């Protein structure tokens, strides 16, 4: 899923070398320790996606774009593990959020959407990965589709809660308005793209070069760091558009699923 670094809860955003995209180091000792997480809240986002909020008292913090490993253990001892991107901004509250699609025949997502209730306990391990992380120190151009918006929303929330002034723009693709995760939270930094249905007067179709042109034709000082998250087909399509628009290949980070 994600690539990234550790971040002490409540601490300032750590400095990184602006022009060197590279991997951010992950604290292996922290990331390798399983911790108990208690489900405290469930919020419906779309007909197929919900956000699950957990209290994790020992959570060491994370950077936007990171993910974790989640472990469920059944009464008979059967264990299921999955990687999920973190949706919440690092805020030092001891809480984290995950947004999960209800996948057909998905044993873990199925459990969350049909069985899980506040008070239930699971295990988590992380944060994991250092490539897809955004510390907030460089202009970020975010492209996501479907649930690929989850790690990108962590970046948007981080940008807002810290009051960062570094440029950030997001384009997010969904089949229609009813499938647009976090729709109520989007602000002027976000442009939705609808591929199947859209409100009256809004174009329907895939992400195009025209959507990216305003950002790529006049990039901010130092240029963009592009983050792309979605299905394999979306990741390929979006990254090709970025390169064709002049975005350096070495400054495109891709997180794909499916």
């Amino acid at each position: 899923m994600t690539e990234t670094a550790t971040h002490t809860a409540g601490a300032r955003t750590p400095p990184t070398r602006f022009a060197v995209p590279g991997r951010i180091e992950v604290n292996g000792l922290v990331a390798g320790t399983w911790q108990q997480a208690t489900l405290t809240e469930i919020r419906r986002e779309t007909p197929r996606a919900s956000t699950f909020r957990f209290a994790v008292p020992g959570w060491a913090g994370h950077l936007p774009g990171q993910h974790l490993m989640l472990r469920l253990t059944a009464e008979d001892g059967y264990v299921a593990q999955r990687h999920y991107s973190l949706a919440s901004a690092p805020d030092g509250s001891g809480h984290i959020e995950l947004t999960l699609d209800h996948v057909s025949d998905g044993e873990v997502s199925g459990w969350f959407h049909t069985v899980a209730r506040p008070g239930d306990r699971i295990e988590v391990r992380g944060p994991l990965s250092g490539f897809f992380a955004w510390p907030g120190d460089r202009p970020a151009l975010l492209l996501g589709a479907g649930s690929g918006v989850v790690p990108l929303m962590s970046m948007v929330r981080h940008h807002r809660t810290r009051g960062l002034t570094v440029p950030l723009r997001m384009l997010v693709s969904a089949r229609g308005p009813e499938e647009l995760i976090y729709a109520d939270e989007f602000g002027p930094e976000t442009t939705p793209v609808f591929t199947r249905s859209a409100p009256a007067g809004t174009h329907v179709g895939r992400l195009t070069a025209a959507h990216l042109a305003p950002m790529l034709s006049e990039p901010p000082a130092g240029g963009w760091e592009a983050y792309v998250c979605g299905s394999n087909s979306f990741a390929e399509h979006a990254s090709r558009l970025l390169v064709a628009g002049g975005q350096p290949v070495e400054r495109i980070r891709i997180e794909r699923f499916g």
Side-chain angles (χ1 to χ4, degrees):
M1 286 284 294
T2 296
E3 309 246 18
T4 189
T6 53
H7 171 77
T8 301
R12 69 181 180 85
T13 299
T16 60
R17 291 186 61 192
F18 173 82
V20 182
R23 183 182 299 270
I24 298 172
E25 183 180 357
V26 173
N27 185 320
L29 181 61
V30 172
T33 302
W34 288 102
Q35 301 179 62
Q36 190 170 89
T38 302
L39 182 60
T40 61
E41 181 186 355
I42 302 174
R43 299 195 308 272
R44 176 67 65 179
E45 302 286 355
T46 73
R48 293 186 55 80
S50 292
T51 292
F52 300 85
R53 183 173 177 82
F54 299 89
V56 190
W59 187 249
H62 62 280
L63 288 178
Q66 287 190 287
H67 68 277
L68 54 68
M69 177 79 82
L70 179 152
R71 182 165 70 185
L72 294 178
T73 303
E75 292 183 2
D76 63 1
Y78 175 75
V79 175
Q81 298 182 170
R82 297 290 187 276
H83 288 274
Y84 290 113
S85 293
L86 288 149
S88 46
D91 60 8
S93 68
H95 288 78
I96 57 174
E97 293 186 351
L98 307 176
T99 300
L100 280 60
D101 271 331
H102 190 176
V103 179
S104 299
D105 300 323
E107 58 181 359
V108 174
S109 70
W111 181 84
F112 272 103
H113 280 272
T114 62
V115 178
R117 296 291 182 272
D120 287 342
R121 295 180 179 180
I122 62 167
E123 293 176 286
V124 296
R125 182 169 65 83
L128 304 172
S129 156
F131 175 72
F132 204 71
W134 181 66
D137 64 344
R138 62 194 66 171
L141 179 57
L142 317 178
L143 281 68
S147 59
V149 72
V150 174
L152 307 183
M153 196 61 196
S154 176
M155 299 176 189
V156 172
R157 288 167 169 165
H158 179 62
H159 189 270
R160 291 176 182 170
T161 58
R162 293 295 180 92
L164 301 179
T165 58
V166 61
L168 179 144
R169 290 295 306 276
M170 179 166 71
L171 289 88
V172 57
S173 176
R175 291 186 178 90
E178 71 284 352
E179 295 190 37
L180 192 60
I181 301 173
Y182 312 128
D184 292 342
E185 288 190 58
F186 294 150
E189 80 286 317
T190 301
T191 300
V193 178
F194 299 115
T195 61
R196 302 284 180 84
S197 63
T202 301
H203 175 74
V204 176
R206 298 184 76 188
L207 180 72
T208 67
H211 290 110
L212 296 174
M215 282 75 74
L216 297 180
S217 61
E218 297 184 15
W224 295 105
E225 195 76 17
Y227 293 79
V228 179
C229 189
S231 65
N232 284 318
S233 60
F234 176 81
E236 290 295 327
H237 175 67
S239 58
R240 289 178 184 275
L241 289 177
L242 285 168
V243 173
Q247 176 70 12
V249 174
E250 67 274 12
R251 300 193 65 177
I252 301 175
R253 304 180 185 223
I254 300 175
E255 187 76 59
R256 64 183 81 210
F257 55 82

